[in-house]
Amino acid sequence: PGLEDIKVFRRMMKVVTDLWCNSHIRRHMKIEIGVLIEHFVLKFLRLGPQVLPPKRLSNTSSIFLNELPVALLPQQVCIVNEVKTWFQSEPRDILELFLNFDQVDAHSSKKKFHLLPSTHWKITQQLCGALCSLAEQCTDIVSEQIRLTRIDLSGVETQSVSSNNSIQPHSEEDLREMTHVREGARFLQEKCFDAIG
């Protein structure tokens, strides 16, 4: 239910954001927050753009995901918005994330931050990589949808000129879905760029 219902999902993400943005809580729950980011946020971003229900995109190894009747695009947009919130309020927070989870030797830094002992999860690198990869995948979807629309339009023009029925144009429903996919991917891409910037 939490994955399908965007209201519940937003609430879950707000809890993660509240944990991260509260410096007192963050100081005492660094490992737990790192696990949440790695096993929840990163895995969700690595699914690729979820512009259609998962069973329509491709079969995944997750039976649960294949059973979902809804696209997970709103949930991915929610995650990207929350990630932006994590670093927008206090820019030094991304530095703290890096020092705690990416820095090989956290003890060599000055003690301005309360650091974990020598962790090497590379969460900051993985988070930036996942956002960049997601934006790139969105670009691929947008360009593919534009290419398919152009093929369809050129097929219609060719058919009207030559009356050759070898190319079947997309139905009105197909064109609506293609537009939905293209616009969803474009929106998610913009959100990823916004979070990275």
Side-chain angles (χ1 to χ4, degrees):
L3 235 57
E4 294 177 36
D5 186 355
I6 188 61
K7 290 179 184 176
V8 174
F9 190 86
R10 278 191 192 119
R11 193 68 187 121
M12 290 185 322
M13 282 306 301
K14 287 289 183 195
V15 169
V16 175
T17 296
D18 289 344
L19 291 173
W20 174 256
C21 289
N22 184 320
S23 60
H24 179 71
I25 292 173
R26 185 173 62 230
R27 190 175 315 129
H28 297 288
M29 294 185 64
K30 288 185 179 177
I31 292 174
E32 292 84 354
I33 292 171
V35 170
L36 269 173
I37 292 171
E38 184 176 28
H39 291 284
F40 182 65
V41 173
L42 287 171
K43 284 190 179 190
F44 225 92
L45 293 176
R46 289 180 182 143
L47 288 174
Q50 298 293 303
V51 292
L52 291 172
K55 63 183 174 185
R56 292 279 319 275
L57 290 172
S58 66
N59 285 333
T60 65
S61 58
S62 169
I63 295 171
F64 177 73
L65 277 180
N66 285 331
E67 303 280 327
L68 282 177
V70 296
L72 298 175
L73 180 66
Q75 288 83 342
Q76 285 186 315
V77 169
C78 176
I79 286 176
V80 173
N81 285 335
E82 292 301 317
V83 167
K84 181 181 177 192
T85 302
W86 296 351
F87 306 117
Q88 187 175 17
S89 61
E90 184 64 49
R92 79 173 243 185
D93 289 350
I94 195 159
L95 179 61
E96 187 174 338
L97 184 71
F98 173 77
L99 289 174
N100 275 295
F101 299 108
D102 293 52
Q103 183 75 10
V104 176
D105 184 15
H107 293 294
S108 67
S109 67
K110 295 181 177 143
K111 293 293 182 180
K112 290 184 180 180
F113 302 106
H114 295 282
L115 303 174
L116 291 174
S118 287
T119 56
H120 196 59
W121 282 353
K122 296 189 181 257
I123 288 181
T124 311
Q125 179 182 344
Q126 291 182 58
L127 190 58
C128 292
L131 287 169
C132 290
S133 178
L134 191 60
E136 188 175 321
Q137 292 168 349
C138 287
T139 301
D140 293 342
I141 288 174
V142 169
S143 63
E144 178 65 16
Q145 294 301 312
I146 290 170
R147 186 187 71 76
L148 289 173
T149 303
R150 286 185 179 162
I151 288 173
D152 190 53
L153 292 175
S154 68
V156 170
E157 291 170 10
T158 305
Q159 281 183 3
S160 64
V161 171
S162 66
S163 298
N164 183 0
N165 288 336
S166 62
I167 300 175
Q168 294 294 325
H170 290 102
S171 69
E172 196 65 36
E173 184 177 328
D174 290 340
L175 291 174
R176 270 195 303 276
E177 184 175 90
M178 289 166 67
T179 301
H180 175 73
V181 166
R182 183 178 62 246
E183 294 306 314
R186 194 174 283 154
F187 183 70
L188 182 58
Q189 178 189 42
E190 289 171 6
K191 291 293 185 181
C192 287
F193 288 152
D194 198 28
I196 293 167

